Amino acid sequence: EKIDIVPWDENETRFVCNSLAPAEVVKVLLDEDNRAMEIVVADNQLSLAIGKRGQNVKLASILTGWKLDILSETRMTKRLDDAKVLLMNIEGMNETLAQALYQHGYTVEQLASSDGAALGQVPGVNPEKAIELKANAQKMIDSGKFAEIRKHQAEAAKAAAEKSKMSTDEVFARLKAEVKAHQEREKTENNEAVKAAAEAEEAPKEAVKATEEQPKETSKE
C-alpha cells in the first residue's frame, strides 16, 4: 500500500501547499472567514494537483480542514481580467483604482454593498470617493449593465472552452489516424516479408522439381 507523508506546518498556507505536493503552487488566495483557499498552479500542474477524479484535492481538503479550489494560471488571469473589466465599467473608475480594489477583494457586487469606512482603506479611495463608487456600482447593477457584461463574458468563456475541446479532439483524431496508418504500413510490410520468405523457400523446391521433370537421355550401344 502506498502511503504519502505530508510535513505538518503551523502556517496553514504552507501546510496546504505541502499536502498538494508534488504539484507546485504559484499563488494562494485566502478567505479566512469561510476557511477557503483558492490555489493557483501552472497550467501543466493542474491535473497533478487535482488528481484522478479529484482525489488529491479532496484528501488535501480533509487533511487541512480548508475548502480548496484549484485554478490554473490561465483561468486565474482570465478571472482577473473579467473582474477588472466589470470594475472599469463603473462610472468614475480608472485602471489603477480597479486594480487596487480587486487586490483588496472587491467585486462590483461587494463594492455596492460595502461599508464606506472599510472601502476607504483602499489606496486612492477617500471617504467622498468611497460614497461615489458605492453608489455608481449599485447604479450599474440596477441598470442591467452588470448582468449584460457578465453574460457576454460567460458566452466568450464557453466559446473558448468549446474551441479548445475541438482543437484537442482534432489533435487526437489526427494522432489516431497516424497510428492507424503506421499499423497498416507495418501490416503490409510484414505480409510482403512473409510472402518473400515463402517464395524464397519454394524456389529450391521448384528447381529440384524442374530438374526431375527433364527427360533422361538413354545411351545407345
Side-chain angles (χ1 to χ4, degrees), residues 57-96:
V57 68
K58 287 177 183 176
L59 289 175
S61 181
I62 294 171
L63 182 65
T64 62
W66 284 71
K67 179 181 178 182
L68 306 178
D69 186 16
I70 311 294
L71 305 173
S72 66
E73 285 186 295
T74 297
R75 183 181 171 192
M76 192 64 196
T77 299
K78 181 66 168 59
R79 179 187 290 187
L80 172 59
D81 291 342
D82 287 349
K84 286 177 64 177
V85 166
L86 287 165
L87 288 169
M88 284 294 294
N89 275 273
I90 297 174
E91 187 178 342
M93 186 68 68
N94 59 57
E95 188 171 354
T96 301

PDB file of all heavy atoms in Angstrom, residues 57-96:
ATOM      1  N   VAL A  57      -7.006  16.732  -4.324  1.00  0.00           N
ATOM      2  CA  VAL A  57      -7.520  17.942  -3.676  1.00  0.00           C
ATOM      3  C   VAL A  57      -8.515  17.594  -2.575  1.00  0.00           C
ATOM      4  O   VAL A  57      -8.582  18.278  -1.544  1.00  0.00           O
ATOM      5  CB  VAL A  57      -8.135  18.897  -4.731  1.00  0.00           C
ATOM      6  CG1 VAL A  57      -9.395  18.313  -5.343  1.00  0.00           C
ATOM      7  CG2 VAL A  57      -8.446  20.250  -4.116  1.00  0.00           C
ATOM      8  N   LYS A  58      -9.278  16.513  -2.740  1.00  0.00           N
ATOM      9  CA  LYS A  58     -10.221  16.096  -1.703  1.00  0.00           C
ATOM     10  C   LYS A  58      -9.483  15.665  -0.443  1.00  0.00           C
ATOM     11  O   LYS A  58      -9.861  16.049   0.675  1.00  0.00           O
ATOM     12  CB  LYS A  58     -11.091  14.944  -2.219  1.00  0.00           C
ATOM     13  CG  LYS A  58     -12.139  15.364  -3.238  1.00  0.00           C
ATOM     14  CD  LYS A  58     -12.918  14.164  -3.749  1.00  0.00           C
ATOM     15  CE  LYS A  58     -13.925  14.567  -4.817  1.00  0.00           C
ATOM     16  NZ  LYS A  58     -14.625  13.371  -5.379  1.00  0.00           N
ATOM     17  N   LEU A  59      -8.425  14.871  -0.617  1.00  0.00           N
ATOM     18  CA  LEU A  59      -7.642  14.422   0.522  1.00  0.00           C
ATOM     19  C   LEU A  59      -6.947  15.591   1.216  1.00  0.00           C
ATOM     20  O   LEU A  59      -6.881  15.648   2.448  1.00  0.00           O
ATOM     21  CB  LEU A  59      -6.610  13.386   0.073  1.00  0.00           C
ATOM     22  CG  LEU A  59      -7.165  12.016  -0.335  1.00  0.00           C
ATOM     23  CD1 LEU A  59      -6.047  11.134  -0.877  1.00  0.00           C
ATOM     24  CD2 LEU A  59      -7.864  11.329   0.825  1.00  0.00           C
ATOM     25  N   ALA A  60      -6.445  16.540   0.414  1.00  0.00           N
ATOM     26  CA  ALA A  60      -5.784  17.712   0.993  1.00  0.00           C
ATOM     27  C   ALA A  60      -6.779  18.550   1.785  1.00  0.00           C
ATOM     28  O   ALA A  60      -6.465  19.084   2.853  1.00  0.00           O
ATOM     29  CB  ALA A  60      -5.160  18.557  -0.119  1.00  0.00           C
ATOM     30  N   SER A  61      -8.013  18.645   1.293  1.00  0.00           N
ATOM     31  CA  SER A  61      -9.047  19.403   1.980  1.00  0.00           C
ATOM     32  C   SER A  61      -9.411  18.754   3.314  1.00  0.00           C
ATOM     33  O   SER A  61      -9.556  19.427   4.341  1.00  0.00           O
ATOM     34  CB  SER A  61     -10.288  19.517   1.087  1.00  0.00           C
ATOM     35  OG  SER A  61     -11.298  20.264   1.721  1.00  0.00           O
ATOM     36  N   ILE A  62      -9.543  17.420   3.299  1.00  0.00           N
ATOM     37  CA  ILE A  62      -9.862  16.684   4.531  1.00  0.00           C
ATOM     38  C   ILE A  62      -8.720  16.807   5.539  1.00  0.00           C
ATOM     39  O   ILE A  62      -8.938  17.034   6.735  1.00  0.00           O
ATOM     40  CB  ILE A  62     -10.136  15.203   4.212  1.00  0.00           C
ATOM     41  CG1 ILE A  62     -11.416  15.067   3.375  1.00  0.00           C
ATOM     42  CG2 ILE A  62     -10.254  14.385   5.495  1.00  0.00           C
ATOM     43  CD1 ILE A  62     -11.650  13.678   2.825  1.00  0.00           C
ATOM     44  N   LEU A  63      -7.508  16.690   5.032  1.00  0.00           N
ATOM     45  CA  LEU A  63      -6.332  16.719   5.896  1.00  0.00           C
ATOM     46  C   LEU A  63      -6.143  18.079   6.558  1.00  0.00           C
ATOM     47  O   LEU A  63      -5.822  18.166   7.743  1.00  0.00           O
ATOM     48  CB  LEU A  63      -5.089  16.358   5.074  1.00  0.00           C
ATOM     49  CG  LEU A  63      -3.759  16.300   5.814  1.00  0.00           C
ATOM     50  CD1 LEU A  63      -3.777  15.179   6.845  1.00  0.00           C
ATOM     51  CD2 LEU A  63      -2.618  16.085   4.831  1.00  0.00           C
ATOM     52  N   THR A  64      -6.359  19.159   5.810  1.00  0.00           N
ATOM     53  CA  THR A  64      -6.079  20.506   6.320  1.00  0.00           C
ATOM     54  C   THR A  64      -7.285  21.175   6.955  1.00  0.00           C
ATOM     55  O   THR A  64      -7.142  22.126   7.722  1.00  0.00           O
ATOM     56  CB  THR A  64      -5.569  21.401   5.176  1.00  0.00           C
ATOM     57  OG1 THR A  64      -6.585  21.511   4.161  1.00  0.00           O
ATOM     58  CG2 THR A  64      -4.307  20.816   4.554  1.00  0.00           C
ATOM     59  N   GLY A  65      -8.489  20.706   6.609  1.00  0.00           N
ATOM     60  CA  GLY A  65      -9.685  21.331   7.156  1.00  0.00           C
ATOM     61  C   GLY A  65     -10.106  22.597   6.432  1.00  0.00           C
ATOM     62  O   GLY A  65     -10.963  23.343   6.910  1.00  0.00           O
ATOM     63  N   TRP A  66      -9.515  22.827   5.238  1.00  0.00           N
ATOM     64  CA  TRP A  66      -9.866  24.004   4.441  1.00  0.00           C
ATOM     65  C   TRP A  66     -10.571  23.565   3.168  1.00  0.00           C
ATOM     66  O   TRP A  66     -10.261  22.506   2.607  1.00  0.00           O
ATOM     67  CB  TRP A  66      -8.617  24.800   4.063  1.00  0.00           C
ATOM     68  CG  TRP A  66      -8.049  25.615   5.188  1.00  0.00           C
ATOM     69  CD1 TRP A  66      -7.397  25.150   6.295  1.00  0.00           C
ATOM     70  CD2 TRP A  66      -8.096  27.037   5.318  1.00  0.00           C
ATOM     71  NE1 TRP A  66      -7.032  26.184   7.110  1.00  0.00           N
ATOM     72  CE2 TRP A  66      -7.439  27.364   6.533  1.00  0.00           C
ATOM     73  CE3 TRP A  66      -8.609  28.068   4.544  1.00  0.00           C
ATOM     74  CZ2 TRP A  66      -7.299  28.675   6.976  1.00  0.00           C
ATOM     75  CZ3 TRP A  66      -8.470  29.376   4.975  1.00  0.00           C
ATOM     76  CH2 TRP A  66      -7.830  29.674   6.177  1.00  0.00           C
ATOM     77  N   LYS A  67     -11.506  24.399   2.714  1.00  0.00           N
ATOM     78  CA  LYS A  67     -12.135  24.165   1.421  1.00  0.00           C
ATOM     79  C   LYS A  67     -11.177  24.678   0.352  1.00  0.00           C
ATOM     80  O   LYS A  67     -10.780  25.850   0.375  1.00  0.00           O
ATOM     81  CB  LYS A  67     -13.473  24.902   1.335  1.00  0.00           C
ATOM     82  CG  LYS A  67     -14.181  24.719   0.003  1.00  0.00           C
ATOM     83  CD  LYS A  67     -15.484  25.494  -0.043  1.00  0.00           C
ATOM     84  CE  LYS A  67     -16.166  25.345  -1.390  1.00  0.00           C
ATOM     85  NZ  LYS A  67     -17.424  26.145  -1.467  1.00  0.00           N
ATOM     86  N   LEU A  68     -10.811  23.814  -0.579  1.00  0.00           N
ATOM     87  CA  LEU A  68      -9.791  24.160  -1.566  1.00  0.00           C
ATOM     88  C   LEU A  68     -10.373  24.188  -2.984  1.00  0.00           C
ATOM     89  O   LEU A  68     -11.141  23.300  -3.357  1.00  0.00           O
ATOM     90  CB  LEU A  68      -8.636  23.160  -1.512  1.00  0.00           C
ATOM     91  CG  LEU A  68      -7.993  22.946  -0.133  1.00  0.00           C
ATOM     92  CD1 LEU A  68      -6.898  21.890  -0.236  1.00  0.00           C
ATOM     93  CD2 LEU A  68      -7.439  24.252   0.418  1.00  0.00           C
ATOM     94  N   ASP A  69      -9.980  25.196  -3.725  1.00  0.00           N
ATOM     95  CA  ASP A  69     -10.375  25.306  -5.135  1.00  0.00           C
ATOM     96  C   ASP A  69      -9.094  25.479  -5.944  1.00  0.00           C
ATOM     97  O   ASP A  69      -8.347  26.433  -5.723  1.00  0.00           O
ATOM     98  CB  ASP A  69     -11.308  26.503  -5.334  1.00  0.00           C
ATOM     99  CG  ASP A  69     -11.862  26.579  -6.752  1.00  0.00           C
ATOM    100  OD1 ASP A  69     -11.770  25.565  -7.471  1.00  0.00           O
ATOM    101  OD2 ASP A  69     -12.374  27.643  -7.152  1.00  0.00           O
ATOM    102  N   ILE A  70      -8.820  24.554  -6.851  1.00  0.00           N
ATOM    103  CA  ILE A  70      -7.593  24.589  -7.641  1.00  0.00           C
ATOM    104  C   ILE A  70      -7.855  25.285  -8.969  1.00  0.00           C
ATOM    105  O   ILE A  70      -8.775  24.927  -9.701  1.00  0.00           O
ATOM    106  CB  ILE A  70      -7.059  23.170  -7.907  1.00  0.00           C
ATOM    107  CG1 ILE A  70      -7.003  22.359  -6.612  1.00  0.00           C
ATOM    108  CG2 ILE A  70      -5.691  23.231  -8.567  1.00  0.00           C
ATOM    109  CD1 ILE A  70      -6.026  22.862  -5.603  1.00  0.00           C
ATOM    110  N   LEU A  71      -7.038  26.287  -9.280  1.00  0.00           N
ATOM    111  CA  LEU A  71      -7.175  27.042 -10.525  1.00  0.00           C
ATOM    112  C   LEU A  71      -5.861  27.028 -11.298  1.00  0.00           C
ATOM    113  O   LEU A  71      -4.788  27.052 -10.699  1.00  0.00           O
ATOM    114  CB  LEU A  71      -7.553  28.503 -10.240  1.00  0.00           C
ATOM    115  CG  LEU A  71      -8.799  28.779  -9.396  1.00  0.00           C
ATOM    116  CD1 LEU A  71      -8.894  30.271  -9.102  1.00  0.00           C
ATOM    117  CD2 LEU A  71     -10.043  28.319 -10.125  1.00  0.00           C
ATOM    118  N   SER A  72      -5.967  27.014 -12.618  1.00  0.00           N
ATOM    119  CA  SER A  72      -4.762  27.161 -13.438  1.00  0.00           C
ATOM    120  C   SER A  72      -4.426  28.652 -13.559  1.00  0.00           C
ATOM    121  O   SER A  72      -5.284  29.518 -13.342  1.00  0.00           O
ATOM    122  CB  SER A  72      -4.999  26.583 -14.836  1.00  0.00           C
ATOM    123  OG  SER A  72      -5.969  27.353 -15.530  1.00  0.00           O
ATOM    124  N   GLU A  73      -3.187  28.948 -13.907  1.00  0.00           N
ATOM    125  CA  GLU A  73      -2.780  30.349 -14.078  1.00  0.00           C
ATOM    126  C   GLU A  73      -3.595  31.019 -15.168  1.00  0.00           C
ATOM    127  O   GLU A  73      -3.969  32.196 -15.040  1.00  0.00           O
ATOM    128  CB  GLU A  73      -1.286  30.426 -14.407  1.00  0.00           C
ATOM    129  CG  GLU A  73      -0.376  30.175 -13.230  1.00  0.00           C
ATOM    130  CD  GLU A  73       1.078  30.394 -13.570  1.00  0.00           C
ATOM    131  OE1 GLU A  73       1.607  29.630 -14.404  1.00  0.00           O
ATOM    132  OE2 GLU A  73       1.691  31.319 -13.010  1.00  0.00           O
ATOM    133  N   THR A  74      -3.886  30.285 -16.234  1.00  0.00           N
ATOM    134  CA  THR A  74      -4.665  30.853 -17.339  1.00  0.00           C
ATOM    135  C   THR A  74      -6.057  31.239 -16.869  1.00  0.00           C
ATOM    136  O   THR A  74      -6.552  32.327 -17.181  1.00  0.00           O
ATOM    137  CB  THR A  74      -4.776  29.839 -18.497  1.00  0.00           C
ATOM    138  OG1 THR A  74      -3.467  29.566 -19.003  1.00  0.00           O
ATOM    139  CG2 THR A  74      -5.650  30.391 -19.617  1.00  0.00           C
ATOM    140  N   ARG A  75      -6.696  30.343 -16.124  1.00  0.00           N
ATOM    141  CA  ARG A  75      -8.048  30.630 -15.629  1.00  0.00           C
ATOM    142  C   ARG A  75      -8.029  31.795 -14.641  1.00  0.00           C
ATOM    143  O   ARG A  75      -8.930  32.645 -14.643  1.00  0.00           O
ATOM    144  CB  ARG A  75      -8.624  29.387 -14.960  1.00  0.00           C
ATOM    145  CG  ARG A  75     -10.064  29.583 -14.493  1.00  0.00           C
ATOM    146  CD  ARG A  75     -10.587  28.338 -13.818  1.00  0.00           C
ATOM    147  NE  ARG A  75     -11.867  28.591 -13.182  1.00  0.00           N
ATOM    148  CZ  ARG A  75     -12.450  27.756 -12.333  1.00  0.00           C
ATOM    149  NH1 ARG A  75     -11.877  26.598 -12.048  1.00  0.00           N
ATOM    150  NH2 ARG A  75     -13.604  28.049 -11.776  1.00  0.00           N
ATOM    151  N   MET A  76      -7.000  31.852 -13.789  1.00  0.00           N
ATOM    152  CA  MET A  76      -6.903  32.935 -12.812  1.00  0.00           C
ATOM    153  C   MET A  76      -6.706  34.278 -13.509  1.00  0.00           C
ATOM    154  O   MET A  76      -7.299  35.291 -13.123  1.00  0.00           O
ATOM    155  CB  MET A  76      -5.743  32.656 -11.855  1.00  0.00           C
ATOM    156  CG  MET A  76      -5.740  33.571 -10.634  1.00  0.00           C
ATOM    157  SD  MET A  76      -7.212  33.303  -9.621  1.00  0.00           S
ATOM    158  CE  MET A  76      -7.184  34.784  -8.611  1.00  0.00           C
ATOM    159  N   THR A  77      -5.864  34.284 -14.542  1.00  0.00           N
ATOM    160  CA  THR A  77      -5.635  35.517 -15.307  1.00  0.00           C
ATOM    161  C   THR A  77      -6.926  35.974 -15.972  1.00  0.00           C
ATOM    162  O   THR A  77      -7.241  37.172 -15.994  1.00  0.00           O
ATOM    163  CB  THR A  77      -4.553  35.282 -16.369  1.00  0.00           C
ATOM    164  OG1 THR A  77      -3.333  34.909 -15.726  1.00  0.00           O
ATOM    165  CG2 THR A  77      -4.306  36.541 -17.189  1.00  0.00           C
ATOM    166  N   LYS A  78      -7.695  35.007 -16.515  1.00  0.00           N
ATOM    167  CA  LYS A  78      -8.961  35.339 -17.164  1.00  0.00           C
ATOM    168  C   LYS A  78      -9.942  35.914 -16.151  1.00  0.00           C
ATOM    169  O   LYS A  78     -10.654  36.887 -16.430  1.00  0.00           O
ATOM    170  CB  LYS A  78      -9.552  34.078 -17.798  1.00  0.00           C
ATOM    171  CG  LYS A  78     -10.879  34.279 -18.528  1.00  0.00           C
ATOM    172  CD  LYS A  78     -10.695  35.163 -19.758  1.00  0.00           C
ATOM    173  CE  LYS A  78     -11.914  35.148 -20.658  1.00  0.00           C
ATOM    174  NZ  LYS A  78     -13.154  35.595 -20.015  1.00  0.00           N
ATOM    175  N   ARG A  79      -9.972  35.322 -14.952  1.00  0.00           N
ATOM    176  CA  ARG A  79     -10.865  35.829 -13.905  1.00  0.00           C
ATOM    177  C   ARG A  79     -10.499  37.256 -13.517  1.00  0.00           C
ATOM    178  O   ARG A  79     -11.370  38.112 -13.349  1.00  0.00           O
ATOM    179  CB  ARG A  79     -10.798  34.915 -12.683  1.00  0.00           C
ATOM    180  CG  ARG A  79     -11.687  35.389 -11.553  1.00  0.00           C
ATOM    181  CD  ARG A  79     -11.483  34.566 -10.293  1.00  0.00           C
ATOM    182  NE  ARG A  79     -12.001  33.217 -10.437  1.00  0.00           N
ATOM    183  CZ  ARG A  79     -12.053  32.359  -9.430  1.00  0.00           C
ATOM    184  NH1 ARG A  79     -11.584  32.695  -8.229  1.00  0.00           N
ATOM    185  NH2 ARG A  79     -12.547  31.151  -9.607  1.00  0.00           N
ATOM    186  N   LEU A  80      -9.199  37.508 -13.385  1.00  0.00           N
ATOM    187  CA  LEU A  80      -8.731  38.852 -13.039  1.00  0.00           C
ATOM    188  C   LEU A  80      -9.121  39.854 -14.122  1.00  0.00           C
ATOM    189  O   LEU A  80      -9.623  40.945 -13.833  1.00  0.00           O
ATOM    190  CB  LEU A  80      -7.210  38.846 -12.851  1.00  0.00           C
ATOM    191  CG  LEU A  80      -6.535  40.212 -12.678  1.00  0.00           C
ATOM    192  CD1 LEU A  80      -7.084  40.946 -11.473  1.00  0.00           C
ATOM    193  CD2 LEU A  80      -5.028  40.052 -12.552  1.00  0.00           C
ATOM    194  N   ASP A  81      -8.909  39.459 -15.378  1.00  0.00           N
ATOM    195  CA  ASP A  81      -9.246  40.350 -16.493  1.00  0.00           C
ATOM    196  C   ASP A  81     -10.738  40.657 -16.522  1.00  0.00           C
ATOM    197  O   ASP A  81     -11.151  41.802 -16.730  1.00  0.00           O
ATOM    198  CB  ASP A  81      -8.816  39.723 -17.820  1.00  0.00           C
ATOM    199  CG  ASP A  81      -7.297  39.663 -17.976  1.00  0.00           C
ATOM    200  OD1 ASP A  81      -6.611  40.401 -17.241  1.00  0.00           O
ATOM    201  OD2 ASP A  81      -6.819  38.886 -18.824  1.00  0.00           O
ATOM    202  N   ASP A  82     -11.565  39.613 -16.322  1.00  0.00           N
ATOM    203  CA  ASP A  82     -13.018  39.813 -16.336  1.00  0.00           C
ATOM    204  C   ASP A  82     -13.464  40.718 -15.184  1.00  0.00           C
ATOM    205  O   ASP A  82     -14.330  41.581 -15.358  1.00  0.00           O
ATOM    206  CB  ASP A  82     -13.742  38.464 -16.232  1.00  0.00           C
ATOM    207  CG  ASP A  82     -13.662  37.665 -17.529  1.00  0.00           C
ATOM    208  OD1 ASP A  82     -13.234  38.239 -18.543  1.00  0.00           O
ATOM    209  OD2 ASP A  82     -14.021  36.472 -17.514  1.00  0.00           O
ATOM    210  N   ALA A  83     -12.870  40.511 -14.006  1.00  0.00           N
ATOM    211  CA  ALA A  83     -13.236  41.328 -12.847  1.00  0.00           C
ATOM    212  C   ALA A  83     -12.850  42.791 -13.070  1.00  0.00           C
ATOM    213  O   ALA A  83     -13.602  43.699 -12.717  1.00  0.00           O
ATOM    214  CB  ALA A  83     -12.555  40.786 -11.597  1.00  0.00           C
ATOM    215  N   LYS A  84     -11.685  43.002 -13.655  1.00  0.00           N
ATOM    216  CA  LYS A  84     -11.238  44.375 -13.917  1.00  0.00           C
ATOM    217  C   LYS A  84     -12.122  45.061 -14.957  1.00  0.00           C
ATOM    218  O   LYS A  84     -12.413  46.250 -14.856  1.00  0.00           O
ATOM    219  CB  LYS A  84      -9.774  44.370 -14.373  1.00  0.00           C
ATOM    220  CG  LYS A  84      -8.789  44.100 -13.250  1.00  0.00           C
ATOM    221  CD  LYS A  84      -7.366  44.029 -13.739  1.00  0.00           C
ATOM    222  CE  LYS A  84      -6.887  45.353 -14.301  1.00  0.00           C
ATOM    223  NZ  LYS A  84      -5.463  45.299 -14.712  1.00  0.00           N
ATOM    224  N   VAL A  85     -12.553  44.278 -15.967  1.00  0.00           N
ATOM    225  CA  VAL A  85     -13.453  44.837 -16.985  1.00  0.00           C
ATOM    226  C   VAL A  85     -14.754  45.307 -16.333  1.00  0.00           C
ATOM    227  O   VAL A  85     -15.262  46.393 -16.637  1.00  0.00           O
ATOM    228  CB  VAL A  85     -13.751  43.793 -18.085  1.00  0.00           C
ATOM    229  CG1 VAL A  85     -14.933  44.233 -18.948  1.00  0.00           C
ATOM    230  CG2 VAL A  85     -12.524  43.587 -18.963  1.00  0.00           C
ATOM    231  N   LEU A  86     -15.294  44.484 -15.437  1.00  0.00           N
ATOM    232  CA  LEU A  86     -16.527  44.849 -14.736  1.00  0.00           C
ATOM    233  C   LEU A  86     -16.328  46.099 -13.878  1.00  0.00           C
ATOM    234  O   LEU A  86     -17.143  47.022 -13.909  1.00  0.00           O
ATOM    235  CB  LEU A  86     -16.997  43.687 -13.858  1.00  0.00           C
ATOM    236  CG  LEU A  86     -17.596  42.491 -14.615  1.00  0.00           C
ATOM    237  CD1 LEU A  86     -17.689  41.279 -13.709  1.00  0.00           C
ATOM    238  CD2 LEU A  86     -18.965  42.845 -15.180  1.00  0.00           C
ATOM    239  N   LEU A  87     -15.227  46.129 -13.121  1.00  0.00           N
ATOM    240  CA  LEU A  87     -14.960  47.302 -12.278  1.00  0.00           C
ATOM    241  C   LEU A  87     -14.737  48.556 -13.116  1.00  0.00           C
ATOM    242  O   LEU A  87     -15.168  49.650 -12.738  1.00  0.00           O
ATOM    243  CB  LEU A  87     -13.737  47.037 -11.397  1.00  0.00           C
ATOM    244  CG  LEU A  87     -13.932  46.039 -10.246  1.00  0.00           C
ATOM    245  CD1 LEU A  87     -12.586  45.665  -9.626  1.00  0.00           C
ATOM    246  CD2 LEU A  87     -14.862  46.622  -9.177  1.00  0.00           C
ATOM    247  N   MET A  88     -14.077  48.385 -14.262  1.00  0.00           N
ATOM    248  CA  MET A  88     -13.792  49.535 -15.123  1.00  0.00           C
ATOM    249  C   MET A  88     -15.057  50.152 -15.710  1.00  0.00           C
ATOM    250  O   MET A  88     -15.052  51.303 -16.151  1.00  0.00           O
ATOM    251  CB  MET A  88     -12.853  49.118 -16.254  1.00  0.00           C
ATOM    252  CG  MET A  88     -11.402  48.934 -15.833  1.00  0.00           C
ATOM    253  SD  MET A  88     -10.626  50.495 -15.319  1.00  0.00           S
ATOM    254  CE  MET A  88     -10.618  51.390 -16.872  1.00  0.00           C
ATOM    255  N   ASN A  89     -16.138  49.378 -15.744  1.00  0.00           N
ATOM    256  CA  ASN A  89     -17.391  49.882 -16.287  1.00  0.00           C
ATOM    257  C   ASN A  89     -18.207  50.669 -15.261  1.00  0.00           C
ATOM    258  O   ASN A  89     -19.295  51.154 -15.578  1.00  0.00           O
ATOM    259  CB  ASN A  89     -18.228  48.739 -16.863  1.00  0.00           C
ATOM    260  CG  ASN A  89     -17.840  48.401 -18.288  1.00  0.00           C
ATOM    261  OD1 ASN A  89     -18.337  48.996 -19.240  1.00  0.00           O
ATOM    262  ND2 ASN A  89     -16.924  47.447 -18.437  1.00  0.00           N
ATOM    263  N   ILE A  90     -17.691  50.765 -14.035  1.00  0.00           N
ATOM    264  CA  ILE A  90     -18.339  51.609 -13.026  1.00  0.00           C
ATOM    265  C   ILE A  90     -17.969  53.063 -13.318  1.00  0.00           C
ATOM    266  O   ILE A  90     -16.803  53.386 -13.553  1.00  0.00           O
ATOM    267  CB  ILE A  90     -17.880  51.222 -11.608  1.00  0.00           C
ATOM    268  CG1 ILE A  90     -18.311  49.786 -11.285  1.00  0.00           C
ATOM    269  CG2 ILE A  90     -18.444  52.189 -10.570  1.00  0.00           C
ATOM    270  CD1 ILE A  90     -17.787  49.271  -9.960  1.00  0.00           C
ATOM    271  N   GLU A  91     -18.929  53.908 -13.295  1.00  0.00           N
ATOM    272  CA  GLU A  91     -18.689  55.323 -13.564  1.00  0.00           C
ATOM    273  C   GLU A  91     -17.714  55.898 -12.523  1.00  0.00           C
ATOM    274  O   GLU A  91     -17.834  55.647 -11.331  1.00  0.00           O
ATOM    275  CB  GLU A  91     -20.022  56.093 -13.503  1.00  0.00           C
ATOM    276  CG  GLU A  91     -19.920  57.542 -13.936  1.00  0.00           C
ATOM    277  CD  GLU A  91     -21.265  58.243 -13.894  1.00  0.00           C
ATOM    278  OE1 GLU A  91     -22.305  57.530 -13.858  1.00  0.00           O
ATOM    279  OE2 GLU A  91     -21.291  59.488 -13.884  1.00  0.00           O
ATOM    280  N   GLY A  92     -16.724  56.661 -13.013  1.00  0.00           N
ATOM    281  CA  GLY A  92     -15.744  57.273 -12.117  1.00  0.00           C
ATOM    282  C   GLY A  92     -14.569  56.383 -11.779  1.00  0.00           C
ATOM    283  O   GLY A  92     -13.733  56.748 -10.950  1.00  0.00           O
ATOM    284  N   MET A  93     -14.470  55.202 -12.439  1.00  0.00           N
ATOM    285  CA  MET A  93     -13.397  54.246 -12.163  1.00  0.00           C
ATOM    286  C   MET A  93     -12.234  54.460 -13.124  1.00  0.00           C
ATOM    287  O   MET A  93     -12.421  54.904 -14.264  1.00  0.00           O
ATOM    288  CB  MET A  93     -13.922  52.811 -12.306  1.00  0.00           C
ATOM    289  CG  MET A  93     -12.931  51.735 -11.913  1.00  0.00           C
ATOM    290  SD  MET A  93     -12.570  51.708 -10.139  1.00  0.00           S
ATOM    291  CE  MET A  93     -14.165  51.172  -9.500  1.00  0.00           C
ATOM    292  N   ASN A  94     -11.023  54.159 -12.671  1.00  0.00           N
ATOM    293  CA  ASN A  94      -9.859  54.132 -13.552  1.00  0.00           C
ATOM    294  C   ASN A  94      -9.117  52.815 -13.332  1.00  0.00           C
ATOM    295  O   ASN A  94      -9.404  52.072 -12.385  1.00  0.00           O
ATOM    296  CB  ASN A  94      -8.932  55.333 -13.320  1.00  0.00           C
ATOM    297  CG  ASN A  94      -8.414  55.399 -11.893  1.00  0.00           C
ATOM    298  OD1 ASN A  94      -7.798  54.461 -11.387  1.00  0.00           O
ATOM    299  ND2 ASN A  94      -8.677  56.523 -11.220  1.00  0.00           N
ATOM    300  N   GLU A  95      -8.148  52.510 -14.214  1.00  0.00           N
ATOM    301  CA  GLU A  95      -7.494  51.201 -14.178  1.00  0.00           C
ATOM    302  C   GLU A  95      -6.722  50.964 -12.878  1.00  0.00           C
ATOM    303  O   GLU A  95      -6.769  49.869 -12.307  1.00  0.00           O
ATOM    304  CB  GLU A  95      -6.542  51.070 -15.368  1.00  0.00           C
ATOM    305  CG  GLU A  95      -5.958  49.674 -15.510  1.00  0.00           C
ATOM    306  CD  GLU A  95      -5.181  49.481 -16.800  1.00  0.00           C
ATOM    307  OE1 GLU A  95      -5.191  50.412 -17.641  1.00  0.00           O
ATOM    308  OE2 GLU A  95      -4.567  48.412 -16.962  1.00  0.00           O
ATOM    309  N   THR A  96      -6.022  51.996 -12.415  1.00  0.00           N
ATOM    310  CA  THR A  96      -5.237  51.846 -11.177  1.00  0.00           C
ATOM    311  C   THR A  96      -6.146  51.547  -9.991  1.00  0.00           C
ATOM    312  O   THR A  96      -5.860  50.674  -9.165  1.00  0.00           O
ATOM    313  CB  THR A  96      -4.437  53.128 -10.898  1.00  0.00           C
ATOM    314  OG1 THR A  96      -3.570  53.384 -12.009  1.00  0.00           O
ATOM    315  CG2 THR A  96      -3.602  52.980  -9.634  1.00  0.00           C
TER     316      THR A  96
END
